Amino acid sequence: MRPKITPHPSHTVDSSRIDSGAIVEYENNGEPILAAALQEKKGKWVLLNDRGREIELTPDRLYLYPGKVKIGLESSNEKQQYLASLSKKADQEAENLDLNQLWELVQGEQQEYSIKSLTELLFSNDTLEKRLVTRRALIIDKVYFKRTKFGFEPRSPEIVEELRIKLAEEQAQAKLRYELVQALIARIKGDSATIPEMVSILESLAASGISGKEGKLAAEIVEQIASEVHLNLPQRIEDQAFEILVAAKHFTKHENLSLIRYQRSPRFTSAVENAVSELKTKSQPNRAKVKAFSVTIDAETTRDIDDALTIQAGAEQTTVGIHIADVSALIEQDSPLFNEALKRATSVYCPDIHVPMLPRSLSEDALSLVQGQSRPVMSFYVSFDAAGAIIDRQINLELIEVTQRLTYDFADKIIYGEEQASPELTETLTTLWQLSEKLYERRIAQGAFDFDPKELQPTLDESGRVVLESQSTDSPSKSLVSEFMILTNETAALYAEEKALPFLFRSQEKPDTPLSQWGLDIPEGPAREFQRKTLLKRSTVTTQALPHAGLGLKAYTQLTSPIRRFLDLIGQTQLRNLIEKSDPLYSPNDLMTFIERATPALDEANSIQRESNRYWLLQYLRQERIREIQATVVRTDGVRPLAELDQICTIIPFEPVDFVRGKPSSKKLGEVVTLVFEDINPRKDILRTKEKKI
């Protein structure tokens, strides 16, 4: 039976109830502080607290305990030690006090209880020590009792349950925080420790600043670690987080923060990995095999190989086969792998890391056209007459075992006659190159723009040094691969248009001014080419087949990279469904929805690659100790003129010698200037450049 409790009224403490030597308590920022009353002074009481300080407070800020300071304690030091001992012991006992038991006795009574009555219920008597323990426990309690003006009131069972859950979550987070702090400190000191997953909030702080995931908590953790280890840390909190993670060997000094900022993880969820395991047990489709000699041509570092080439030469015609990895044959609509590809939209290629759209065990193995391994492909056969004109196109679904993998460099040497190869391989590459030249001439005759991008891509060699790699397609092997991929995409677009298949077509309108007639007053070179590019109109993706002026084609699409581009996979899926079932899988609205859903991820991927390339380009300038460089002025109508740097083919703004804010630059398009780098900071994306005074 529940005992009957009569609530004791609580009264405001006044001076008449306090005597010299009385033990009282006040609170400072929520912390209870024990004190002894010394004397009354103009309506206030002079107190000696348990820290040894004397303060003056009005009686309404004090809670009066039963009992007084022990007789015989005369000095302030003796009284302080007595109070400190009482307070410490009370705190220890309060932490172990079970208020749940007390709450269960009174929880049905929605009324205020004095601390005296609750102390008597808990301990059967009311002494200084017992009441001090009870009050401390009630003050720190976050679950069972609600504080009122003069006492405490039991909470309802519903509120208690909510608070229990919240407290458990807070305790769990506190435990995780403690484990994270200890692990990072251990790693900083050189000890081994496993860093908990909660480190992600520090990663986010380093990448996105205080506005990132749980930024305030992350900042508190950084400050706590900084106070416990001796590191020479920068001023900004996000930079401190970065340096701490580097010191703990969780980050490298070149950590790619863009991946964290845009939440593009190289890792995949367990659901996706499980789907990979299931896919690997899936049997390949029943198809005819490609019997011709086949090659793949890629960069040496490429592992996600999605195209192969074959050639069959006859007396009157030559047929080229372009075989694209048929990802759609293995990845089903709305499967975990399909949805993951949609979420990522594209693979991300940075100088320091490759983040695939699909797990590597697929993108670099089960889906990739690995030499000697049977893979499903969508084959595009294009036949040429003796003059190199296209006379026929066909699309088949087949299986292929690639005969030989080639790199661009090795293929170029064979074409140039600098490397010995089998007659079959030599003839294959030579014929492909010759036909690709015919394809290029055909497109130029149809109005294609003749731009070869002079761009250098930062890459890392085996030693970690930054190397600039040309993105130009002026080598024979790069040119032939580019032309046959364009031909494949054109063939798919023409087929879709002929069959009235809902499809994603890419188009580009002609510029308003013919490029050949523009910029003739500008010296030939980077400035003229830059200005002509500004005339180009943006390419668009629609469900309507329209000309692509830039490529000189009547219809165009993109589906030659289904391993690394989601929209290519959609186009391939739509085409395969028509070939197999004579029916489209997606409506025009479906296709536009895919574009809308994929576009944000595509924009993020572009940002990641742009930021990463910029970082490593600045690292290259540092690495090579480049302090000045020649450049060509390519634009003069902005706040600062733009110039293309000769050595690294990159366009940057610079401050001319005669720079005056608000006034136009006196620089001329095509003018060659010498620029000086005043400040290069890759991590902060700083590149300050001025024209050198002559």
Side-chain angles (χ1 to χ4, degrees):
M1 180 181 296
R2 177 188 295 179
K4 184 173 179 60
I5 304 169
T6 304
H8 290 261
S10 297
H11 303 286
T12 303
V13 177
D14 56 39
S15 296
S16 64
R17 298 181 59 221
I18 300 177
D19 296 324
S20 178
I23 295 179
V24 297
E25 193 164 59
Y26 64 93
E27 293 173 46
N28 184 25
N29 294 324
E31 179 188 7
I33 299 175
L34 202 61
L38 300 181
Q39 62 177 332
E40 187 178 13
K41 186 178 180 181
K42 297 181 179 179
K44 294 184 178 180
W45 271 93
V46 179
L47 309 174
L48 174 68
N49 67 23
D50 56 15
R51 287 88 190 273
R53 290 184 55 204
E54 285 192 9
I55 63 169
E56 296 181 10
L57 293 175
T58 56
D60 60 350
R61 289 195 57 189
L62 306 178
Y63 178 83
L64 178 63
Y65 281 105
K68 293 187 176 183
V69 175
K70 284 185 177 180
I71 298 174
L73 302 179
E74 299 296 334
S75 70
S76 295
N77 186 51
E78 289 174 325
K79 292 177 182 178
Q80 182 267 327
Q81 289 182 3
Y82 169 69
L83 293 170
S85 176
L86 267 179
S87 182
K88 181 179 179 181
K89 185 178 179 182
D91 285 339
Q92 291 172 343
E93 292 186 16
E95 286 184 6
N96 298 320
L97 195 63
D98 184 8
L99 288 182
N100 177 46
Q101 183 180 6
L102 176 62
W103 174 78
E104 288 180 346
L105 291 174
V106 299
Q107 54 95 5
E109 310 289 339
Q110 297 301 307
Q111 55 190 5
E112 182 183 59
Y113 289 90
S114 69
I115 299 171
K116 172 179 170 58
S117 63
L118 294 174
T119 303
E120 290 174 341
L121 183 59
L122 272 171
F123 299 106
S124 301
N125 57 65
D126 178 35
T127 64
L128 165 63
E129 291 80 2
K130 300 302 182 185
R131 194 185 297 186
L132 184 56
V133 171
T134 303
R135 187 171 191 271
R136 291 284 173 92
L138 289 166
I139 288 175
I140 64 176
D141 172 47
K142 296 180 180 179
V143 176
Y144 299 104
F145 290 86
K146 178 177 70 174
R147 193 166 185 178
T148 58
K149 186 174 182 179
F150 299 118
F152 291 86
E153 179 182 308
R155 300 186 190 274
S156 69
E158 295 77 17
I159 296 298
V160 166
E161 183 59 26
E162 289 179 11
L163 293 175
R164 277 174 175 163
I165 294 172
K166 182 180 178 182
L167 180 62
E169 291 172 349
E170 291 174 350
Q171 290 173 339
Q173 187 184 70
K175 182 174 182 292
L176 291 174
R177 172 175 174 167
Y178 174 81
E179 291 172 348
L180 174 61
V181 169
Q182 296 307 308
L184 290 173
I185 290 175
R187 292 280 288 265
I188 291 171
K189 292 180 177 179
D191 299 331
S192 60
T194 300
I195 298 179
E197 290 184 5
M198 192 182 184
V199 74
S200 63
I201 68 171
L202 265 64
E203 295 173 344
S204 180
L205 176 61
S208 304
I210 200 73
S211 62
K213 181 176 70 173
E214 298 187 64
K216 184 178 179 181
L217 173 61
E220 291 174 358
I221 291 174
V222 165
E223 291 169 355
Q224 182 179 349
I225 294 172
S227 68
E228 297 187 36
V229 295
H230 300 292
L231 293 173
N232 185 19
L233 295 175
Q235 184 174 1
R236 297 196 313 168
I237 192 70
E238 54 265 44
D239 296 334
Q240 292 179 17
F242 180 84
E243 294 299 335
I244 284 173
L245 293 175
V246 170
K249 299 178 178 61
H250 180 69
F251 273 178
T252 69
K253 64 179 181 179
H254 297 301
E255 195 70 27
N256 193 321
L257 297 183
S258 296
L259 294 176
I260 299 171
R261 190 176 301 116
Y262 294 102
Q263 300 179 33
R264 184 64 64 109
S265 175
R267 297 183 292 274
F268 291 83
T269 65
S270 57
V272 171
E273 294 293 355
N274 290 338
V276 171
S277 300
E278 293 177 10
L279 184 144
K280 287 185 173 182
T281 65
K282 189 176 180 180
S283 59
Q284 291 191 338
N286 183 20
R287 298 177 177 179
K289 291 186 177 180
V290 176
K291 296 180 180 179
F293 177 83
S294 56
V295 297
T296 60
I297 310 174
D298 294 277
E300 186 174 357
T301 56
T302 301
R303 295 293 177 267
D304 48 351
I305 303 171
D306 44 25
D307 57 87
L309 297 168
T310 60
I311 193 164
Q312 295 173 311
E316 297 183 358
Q317 69 176 42
T318 300
T319 300
V320 175
I322 309 105
H323 310 276
I324 307 301
D326 191 357
V327 178
S328 69
L330 298 174
I331 295 184
E332 298 177 355
Q333 165 82 4
D334 289 332
S335 67
L337 289 169
F338 181 92
N339 292 331
E340 185 70 16
L342 171 56
K343 183 178 77 172
R344 294 180 179 236
T346 183
S347 295
V348 176
Y349 296 88
C350 299
D352 57 329
I353 190 171
H354 164 216
V355 182
M357 180 178 77
L358 294 166
R360 291 181 185 275
S361 55
L362 293 183
S363 61
E364 298 181 5
D365 185 9
L367 299 176
S368 182
L369 302 187
V370 179
Q371 178 180 320
Q373 300 296 315
S374 179
R375 298 288 186 262
V377 289
M378 184 172 285
S379 298
F380 296 80
Y381 289 102
V382 182
S383 297
F384 300 83
D385 64 16
I390 297 172
I391 56 176
D392 188 43
R393 305 178 194 241
Q394 292 182 17
I395 305 175
N396 295 335
L397 301 177
E398 299 177 311
L399 297 174
I400 195 172
E401 287 185 18
V402 170
T403 309
Q404 192 166 353
R405 174 182 176 169
L406 303 175
T407 64
Y408 289 127
D409 289 344
F410 187 66
D412 285 341
K413 289 177 181 177
I414 294 173
I415 294 171
Y416 286 137
E418 298 172 356
E419 188 77 40
Q420 292 294 320
S422 68
E424 188 173 28
L425 178 56
T426 301
E427 184 178 354
T428 295
L429 291 178
T430 303
T431 305
L432 286 172
W433 181 32
Q434 292 170 348
L435 288 173
S436 71
E437 290 292 288
K438 296 290 186 181
L439 290 170
Y440 174 73
E441 292 169 5
R442 164 180 167 262
R443 292 194 303 105
I444 293 297
Q446 294 173 174
F449 307 150
D450 187 16
F451 285 124
D452 186 24
K454 294 180 180 179
E455 181 182 350
L456 294 176
Q457 173 77 27
T459 61
L460 303 181
D461 65 16
E462 293 181 357
S463 67
R465 286 182 61 81
V466 187
V467 178
L468 300 185
E469 187 176 275
S470 174
Q471 297 300 293
S472 173
T473 58
D474 58 2
S475 81
S477 60
K478 287 184 178 179
S479 176
L480 77 85
V481 169
S482 174
E483 284 301 326
F484 282 113
M485 293 308 107
I486 293 172
L487 176 64
T488 301
N489 289 323
E490 178 199 24
T491 301
L494 291 173
Y495 182 83
E497 183 183 27
E498 177 190 344
K499 300 294 184 181
L501 177 69
F503 214 58
L504 292 177
F505 297 97
R506 294 178 179 265
S507 61
Q508 184 182 33
E509 293 182 23
K510 291 182 179 180
D512 296 329
T513 303
L515 297 183
S516 59
Q517 300 174 20
W518 179 263
L520 298 178
D521 58 332
I522 302 172
E524 186 175 354
R528 183 187 293 183
E529 187 166 287
F530 179 89
Q531 289 298 315
R532 285 182 172 179
K533 284 181 180 178
T534 62
L535 300 177
L536 301 182
K537 297 189 177 181
R538 292 178 62 89
S539 61
T540 59
V541 183
T542 67
T543 55
Q544 184 179 2
L546 296 170
H548 195 297
L551 295 173
L553 300 174
K554 293 181 180 179
Y556 189 70
T557 187
Q558 272 190 344
L559 50 63
T560 52
S561 297
I563 295 176
R564 59 187 179 90
R565 291 196 299 240
F566 176 76
L567 293 180
D568 287 35
L569 172 57
I570 289 299
Q572 186 183 70
T573 302
Q574 185 80 327
L575 197 56
R576 180 182 59 81
N577 210 72
L578 181 68
I579 294 171
E580 287 186 335
K581 302 178 181 179
S582 301
D583 194 38
L585 179 61
Y586 303 120
S587 69
N589 285 340
D590 293 334
L591 296 174
M592 295 308 297
T593 298
F594 282 131
I595 292 176
E596 292 171 4
R597 294 179 64 186
T599 296
L602 289 170
D603 291 342
E604 289 174 359
N606 288 333
S607 295
I608 292 169
Q609 290 170 165
R610 183 172 58 252
E611 291 172 11
S612 182
N613 287 340
R614 166 87 171 180
Y615 174 86
W616 288 106
L617 180 63
L618 298 190
Q619 284 291 352
Y620 175 82
L621 295 176
R622 267 189 171 183
Q623 168 189 290
E624 300 300 314
R625 302 178 185 276
I626 298 174
R627 302 309 304 174
E628 64 178 57
I629 195 169
Q630 277 201 324
T632 303
V633 178
V634 298
R635 186 169 182 173
T636 58
D637 58 348
V639 176
R640 285 178 171 81
L642 300 180
E644 181 178 295
L645 308 182
D646 291 357
Q647 190 174 336
I648 58 178
C649 300
T650 298
I651 296 174
I652 64 168
F654 72 96
E655 185 174 302
V657 172
D658 60 350
F659 176 74
V660 177
R661 188 177 298 277
K663 291 188 176 182
S665 170
S666 64
K667 295 299 167 188
K668 304 298 181 184
L669 294 176
E671 181 179 346
V672 177
V673 295
T674 300
L675 303 183
V676 177
F677 298 123
E678 292 191 312
D679 188 11
I680 302 173
N681 189 321
R683 181 58 61 194
K684 295 183 179 180
D685 191 23
I686 294 174
L687 178 61
R688 280 197 281 270
T689 313
K690 277 190 175 183
E691 182 184 5
K692 184 178 181 180
K693 294 182 179 180
I694 305 299

